[in-house]
Amino acid sequence: MLKGKTAVITGGVRGIGKAIAKAFCQNGADVILCYRSNDEEAEKTAAELKKLGTEVTIFKGDVADPATAKEIAKQVKEYSGKVDILVNNAGITNDKLMMRMSPEDFTKVIDANLNGTFYMMKEISALMVKQRSGVIINMASVSGLKGNPAQINYSASKAGIVGMTLSAAKELGRRGIRVNAIAPGFIETDMTAILTEDQKEAAAKNITLGRLGQPEDIANTALFLASDMGAYITGQVISVDGGIIM
């Protein structure tokens, strides 16, 4: 499905990002995995994915810094000369009630999630425009569609990503570039590992399908959007949430 394609995936060495990278590699894509801090995890993930038979490169940098996006774009040009897919998956949380949230608590999440997505789209789409082809997939969240208590910073960042996705889709469509977003629901990752089984069961009761999602549920959606099967889809926000916000 993705043979001969090159994909850049931010936050790509664990959780949802790793699952997406694995799905892409299994379907023939070379991947460039961007990560912020965990060198050991990055090396481990790269070694694991290389066994699938495609090229895997890792890049260390903080997407909240616009210089990171510029350097990634530069290295992509040197590495393969092109980029076919960008997945903006990197993100953080810093949950607190609004009354207890400092300006720094708010801004830190906006910088990483919203601004980081913008920086990456800006730099990578410039390469795609020259190719007149490309796919951008942004990671939104159901929190950005319905809000969540104690997540006003996270919800704002993800709602912003929805707006940016729609605007970018309109800007880039005639250049052959598709831009969509995925809005995951309650997915079992490192972020949810701190919850007890009772807490997970309580959360599942609010989900129509009665269970939490897996990273592979998001990866399969990303694979569909990145492939030619999604060739006529742009400007969409696809909720992969088990029906939690129907």
Side-chain angles (χ1 to χ4, degrees):
M1 292 172 65
L2 300 179
K3 188 174 179 58
K5 304 286 189 181
T6 298
V8 174
I9 305 171
T10 68
V13 303
R14 62 192 181 102
I16 289 173
K18 180 180 177 180
I20 293 172
K22 183 177 180 180
F24 283 11
C25 289
Q26 287 173 328
N27 284 272
D30 297 328
V31 298
I32 300 168
L33 308 179
C34 310
Y35 72 103
R36 185 179 61 175
S37 59
N38 195 329
D39 296 333
E40 182 178 353
E41 189 74 20
E43 294 287 352
K44 179 180 176 182
T45 296
E48 180 182 332
L49 295 180
K50 284 178 181 178
K51 294 178 182 177
L52 297 174
T54 61
E55 293 293 326
V56 180
T57 305
I58 56 176
F59 179 91
K60 185 176 183 178
D62 187 351
V63 295
D65 180 358
T68 294
K70 289 181 180 294
E71 185 59 29
I72 291 173
K74 178 183 175 183
Q75 290 202 13
V76 165
K77 288 174 69 176
E78 295 172 354
Y79 168 69
S80 65
K82 69 182 181 70
V83 58
D84 303 288
I85 305 158
L86 168 64
V87 180
N88 283 307
N89 172 71
I92 63 171
T93 58
N94 189 5
D95 298 351
K96 293 178 182 176
L97 292 174
M98 181 169 58
M99 291 183 294
R100 298 177 180 173
M101 187 177 292
S102 70
E104 291 77 17
D105 292 331
F106 185 85
T107 302
K108 184 177 181 179
V109 173
I110 296 295
D111 283 344
N113 299 1
L114 182 62
N115 295 352
T117 296
F118 165 70
Y119 300 145
M120 290 298 300
M121 279 206 300
K122 173 181 167 64
E123 299 298 333
I124 299 300
S125 69
L127 302 179
M128 292 177 170
V129 164
K130 293 179 180 179
Q131 303 164 182
R132 299 195 70 83
S133 66
V135 176
I136 297 174
I137 300 169
N138 295 325
M139 206 57 63
S141 169
V142 294
S143 295
L145 302 178
K146 69 181 184 66
N148 257 343
Q151 280 197 324
I152 194 167
N153 48 4
Y154 185 76
S155 296
S157 72
K158 295 301 185 176
I161 286 173
V162 169
M164 286 202 306
T165 297
L166 302 181
S167 293
K170 290 183 176 180
E171 281 191 27
L172 300 173
R174 293 192 180 276
R175 307 294 181 91
I177 302 165
R178 297 188 288 108
V179 188
N180 293 290
I182 300 172
F186 208 132
I187 307 298
E188 289 198 84
T189 64
D190 290 347
M191 286 185 180
T192 61
I194 60 173
L195 300 178
T196 66
E197 288 305 314
D198 287 344
Q199 289 173 320
K200 290 180 181 180
E201 287 179 12
K205 290 179 181 178
N206 295 318
I207 300 172
T208 302
L209 293 183
R211 65 174 179 85
L212 276 57
Q214 299 299 315
E216 290 73 21
D217 294 317
I218 309 304
N220 290 336
T221 306
L223 178 62
F224 168 76
L225 290 173
S227 74
D228 289 342
M229 289 193 297
Y232 202 54
I233 300 173
T234 196
Q236 301 302 307
V237 181
I238 300 178
S239 295
V240 185
D241 62 7
I244 196 172
I245 61 167
M246 280 199 308

